[in-house]
């Protein structure tokens, strides 16, 4: 297993930690945007190892977590209809809505199916012309090309009993919103490598320049993240603020161009509410007018559903880095992965679940980077 | 759903104008859309797959490493729910080819 020892070598990790500590003349506050990175950081205890040099704030980069309650309630309303087969990625089934989740709708007789790809949902619509098949199109830029293709294909094939409930968000506007918040503490970002593999990173260049904030495109392995942190700290110490690419093995500056092109053809930018962050202007994607026939919100008349988030769940503060998950009173008591109160406890990419599942493996020893035991299932 | 899963392309076909193929994810096989990378890939190549769509080509080492890391991170839950529905997608692929 040469590839593992090469890239996850504890020696490299230790050297990077030492380098960051030596370079940092003061503690710097960085935010990792991607939930996968949050998981690695918490699991490996990277933040503890860097105490005094780097503080990591966990960003809103988990698509399950930022999907607003009202979109969940719309999904529940549509899924309960007798003529509907409601399809979704697996991790949305347990996200609590106002009074239940999709799993419970299924238990009460709703036809809710997990699909891995939105094209599976489209195929289901072709096989069941007597039903209305709806797909819950959630996610960041990584799922947008898939959802764009499903809608585009549906039109191409003349499938009319297929529609999508769109809840797409994009990362750059969230970074802007975080930088504009009056109490913002973030001084540098680790951008999500996989999002940039799709979209490239040209959109981040004006943000880095405008807010004078370093943005480092970073992978999600421990050594990737440490390297990303080191690059960000270097920039901060040198007074630079640029977009740099740590994850060169997967990310090109322009991303995957055919995917970007189809996303732009099917979707347009739209205002979107984010769980925890509130509405952010032009921060999400909505179907273009020429694809309006595939919009489940209008097809099933649920656009008017508006709800407020429950007060007990402090997801908003967690997702903006104002609160660490264990500081939430419900954490581990009223709210557990088995019975989540809020979305960040549902998905393995969510910050609350990352802390809940992994806290027990935390250690300040860099050796743990390679020797941490697998989480029992 | 944000972290892509690496797999190896074992077949490629044209499905009414859409480039599709079977991708092997460490033993779990499923039908994947190759349209976005069709100019860059051939059978035997490795790709990172997001929700049924190949998004980037990667080399074999990178693919293995990413897979191992995902496994270690217990981030392959996605693969579990993918496996649940993978057979169905293969049936569809058989019907289509
Ligand atoms: S621990 Fe639970 S209730 Fe508290 S913020 Fe996280 S998801 Fe919400």
């Amino acid at each position: 297993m040469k590839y593992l020892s090469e890239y996850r070598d504890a020696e490299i990790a230790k050297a990077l930690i030492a380098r960051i500590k030596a370079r940092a003349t003061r503690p710097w506050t960085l935010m990792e945007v991607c939930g996968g990175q949050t998981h690695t950081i918490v699991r490996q205890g990277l933040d503890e190892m860097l105490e005094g040099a780097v503080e990591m704030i966990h960003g809103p980069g988990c698509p399950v977590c930022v999907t607003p309650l009202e979109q969940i309630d719309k999904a529940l309303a549509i899924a309960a209809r007798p003529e509907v087969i409601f399809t979704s990625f697996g991790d949305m089934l347990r996200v609590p809505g106002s009074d239940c989740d999709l799993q419970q709708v299924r238990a009460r007789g709703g036809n809710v199916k997990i699909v891995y790809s939105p094209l599976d949902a489209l195929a289901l619509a072709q096989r069941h012309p007597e039903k209305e098949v709806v797909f819950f199109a959630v996610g960041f830029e990584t799922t947008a090309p898939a959802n764009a293709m499903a809608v585009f294909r549906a039109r191409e094939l003349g499938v009319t009993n297929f529609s999508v409930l769109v809840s797409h968000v994009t990362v750059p506007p969230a970074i802007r919103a975080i930088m504009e918040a009056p109490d913002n503490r973030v001084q540098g970002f680790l951008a999500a490598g996989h999002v940039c593999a799709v979209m490239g990173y040209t959109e981040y260049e004006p943000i880095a320049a405008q807010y004078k904030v370093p943005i480092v495109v970073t992978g999600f392995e421990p050594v990737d993240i440490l390297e990303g942190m080191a690059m960000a700290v270097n920039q901060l110490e040198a007074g630079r603020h640029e977009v740099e690419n740590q994850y060169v093995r997967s990310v090109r500056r322009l991303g995957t161009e055919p995917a970007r092109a189809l996303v732009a053809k099917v979707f347009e930018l739209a205002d979107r509410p984010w769980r925890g962050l509130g509405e952010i202007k032009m921060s999400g994607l909505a179907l273009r007018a020429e694809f309006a026939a595939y919009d489940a919100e209008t097809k099933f008349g649920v656009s008017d559903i508006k709800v407020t988030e429950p007060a007990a769940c402090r997801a908003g503060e967690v997702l903006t880095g104002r609160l660490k998950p264990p500081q939430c009173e419900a954490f581990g008591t009223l709210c557990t992965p088995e019975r989540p109160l809020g979305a960040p406890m549902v998905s393995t990419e969510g910050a609350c679940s990352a802390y809940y599942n992994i806290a027990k493996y935390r250690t300040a020893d860099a050796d743990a980077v390679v020797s941490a035991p697998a989480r029992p299932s | 759903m944000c972290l892509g899963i690496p797999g190896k392309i074992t077949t490629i076909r044209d499905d009414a104008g859409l480039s599709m193929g079977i991708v092997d994810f460490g033993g779990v096989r499923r039908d994947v859309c190759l349209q976005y990378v069709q100019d860059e890939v051939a059978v035997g190549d490795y790709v990172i797959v997001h929700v049924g769509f190949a998004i980037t080509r990667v080399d074999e080492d990178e693919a293995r490493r990413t897979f191992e890391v995902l496994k270690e991170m217990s981030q392959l839950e996605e693969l579990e729910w993918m496996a649940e529905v993978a057979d169905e997608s293969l049936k569809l692929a058989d019907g289509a080819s």
Side-chain angles (χ1 to χ4, degrees):
Chain A
M1 295 241 248
K2 185 164 166 285
Y3 46 90
L4 270 187
S5 53
E6 246 170 38
Y7 279 84
R8 307 194 59 229
D9 191 338
E11 293 307 314
I12 303 178
K14 276 182 187 161
L16 281 166
I17 289 168
R19 207 209 297 168
I20 295 168
K21 285 189 159 165
R23 188 80 173 92
T25 54
R26 45 159 291 185
W28 295 103
T29 304
L30 306 179
M31 174 179 274
E32 86 279 5
V33 173
C34 157
Q37 293 169 336
T38 302
H39 195 98
T40 301
I41 290 168
V42 176
R43 163 85 186 247
Q44 308 287 1
L46 301 184
D47 48 349
E48 285 186 347
M49 294 174 205
L50 284 164
E51 219 170 303
V54 173
E55 182 195 349
M56 292 310 293
I57 293 185
H58 311 306
C62 155
V64 176
C65 308
V66 300
T67 302
L69 189 58
E70 63 185 44
Q71 288 307 106
I72 307 286
D73 281 3
K74 287 174 193 171
L76 296 170
I78 295 172
R81 296 172 70 110
E83 79 277 25
V84 165
I85 302 177
F86 193 88
T87 56
S88 165
F89 297 136
D91 34 12
M92 295 307 290
L93 259 65
R94 289 175 50 247
V95 181
S98 287
D99 56 25
C100 66
D101 59 28
L102 282 168
Q103 222 166 359
Q104 285 163 293
V105 170
R106 175 153 75 178
R108 291 176 203 157
N111 199 342
V112 177
K113 270 192 191 323
I114 293 175
V115 292
Y116 174 61
S117 161
L119 286 182
D120 296 350
L122 180 58
L124 203 60
Q126 289 176 284
R127 273 182 291 150
H128 293 279
E130 77 289 358
K131 291 279 190 188
E132 279 292 335
V133 174
V134 182
F135 180 70
F136 200 177
V138 299
F140 282 98
E141 289 92 327
T142 48
T143 56
N147 295 335
M149 182 67 84
V151 171
F152 189 77
R153 257 320 246 187
R155 194 178 69 168
E156 214 171 54
L157 299 171
V159 180
T160 55
N161 63 325
F162 175 76
S163 57
V164 288
L165 174 60
V166 181
S167 190
H168 262 298
V169 284
T170 58
V171 173
I175 293 189
R176 284 182 186 277
I178 287 162
M179 289 309 294
E180 303 223 337
D183 55 350
N184 169 56
R185 291 168 47 228
V186 179
Q187 296 164 302
F189 287 91
L190 305 187
H194 281 182
V195 165
C196 296
V198 181
M199 302 300 286
Y201 49 84
T202 51
E203 283 177 282
Y204 297 90
E205 290 163 357
I207 299 179
Q210 181 183 344
Y211 298 100
K212 302 200 187 320
V213 65
I215 302 177
V216 182
V217 178
T218 303
F220 60 92
E221 296 176 33
V223 169
D224 285 333
I225 291 172
L226 289 170
E227 202 175 19
M229 291 175 182
M231 289 163 82
V233 167
N234 257 337
Q235 285 202 43
L236 287 163
E237 290 288 346
R240 288 186 294 125
H241 38 81
E242 292 152 21
V243 177
E244 279 185 293
N245 183 11
Q246 180 276 329
Y247 202 32
V248 280
R249 29 184 227 281
S250 289
V251 174
R252 292 170 289 201
R253 182 165 177 267
L254 295 176
T256 302
E257 289 179 80
R260 285 174 66 177
L262 197 73
V263 169
K265 193 170 197 156
V266 173
F267 294 115
E268 61 189 358
L269 289 178
D271 300 346
R272 284 262 169 221
W274 292 53
R275 190 176 285 227
L277 299 177
E279 180 162 295
I280 304 178
K281 293 272 167 229
M282 295 299 177
S283 66
L285 301 174
L287 288 171
R288 286 188 181 276
E290 48 185 304
F291 294 97
Y294 299 93
D295 187 343
E297 283 198 33
T298 40
K299 199 173 204 175
F300 299 99
V302 294
S303 319
D304 295 341
I305 294 181
K306 295 261 184 285
V307 286
T308 44
E309 312 278 336
C313 173
R314 301 178 66 184
E317 289 152 278
V318 168
L319 293 173
T320 48
R322 292 187 185 86
L323 193 79
K324 290 271 192 289
Q327 294 170 312
C328 167
E329 268 174 27
F331 179 85
T333 54
L334 281 175
C335 181
T336 62
E338 290 69 42
R339 307 203 57 189
L341 207 61
M345 192 56 101
V346 176
S347 155
T348 47
E349 288 165 35
C352 298
S353 111
Y355 272 82
Y356 185 88
N357 285 320
I358 294 148
K360 44 187 181 265
Y361 297 122
R362 294 192 69 137
T363 159
D365 182 354
D367 285 334
V369 171
V370 284
S371 63
R375 193 180 102 198
S377 51
Chain B
M1 72 186 77
C2 245
L3 297 178
I5 303 179
K8 182 180 183 172
I9 301 174
T10 63
T11 65
I12 296 181
R13 67 175 198 283
D14 178 277
D15 186 351
L18 200 62
S19 176
M20 300 289 294
I22 307 275
V23 173
D24 187 318
F25 301 91
V28 177
R29 292 162 67 240
R30 75 145 287 147
D31 207 26
V32 162
C33 179
L34 303 173
Q35 185 76 19
Y36 292 134
V37 292
Q38 58 172 335
D39 295 337
E40 307 175 48
V41 298
V43 168
D45 284 345
Y46 288 80
V47 282
I48 303 279
V49 175
H50 288 272
V51 296
F53 285 70
I55 293 290
T56 355
R57 217 196 101 158
V58 288
D59 65 28
E60 185 176 349
D61 273 0
E62 172 67 9
R64 288 235 177 98
R65 200 163 59 228
T66 305
F67 196 82
E68 291 300 322
V69 173
L70 288 171
K71 203 153 79 184
E72 173 118 344
M73 283 166 74
S74 308
Q75 283 284 336
L76 286 181
E77 171 179 272
E78 186 165 311
L79 204 56
E80 284 161 30
W81 52 265
M82 179 167 96
E84 268 177 44
V85 287
D87 291 346
E88 213 167 310
S89 90
L90 289 179
K91 265 184 253 145
L92 288 175
D94 284 346
S97 55

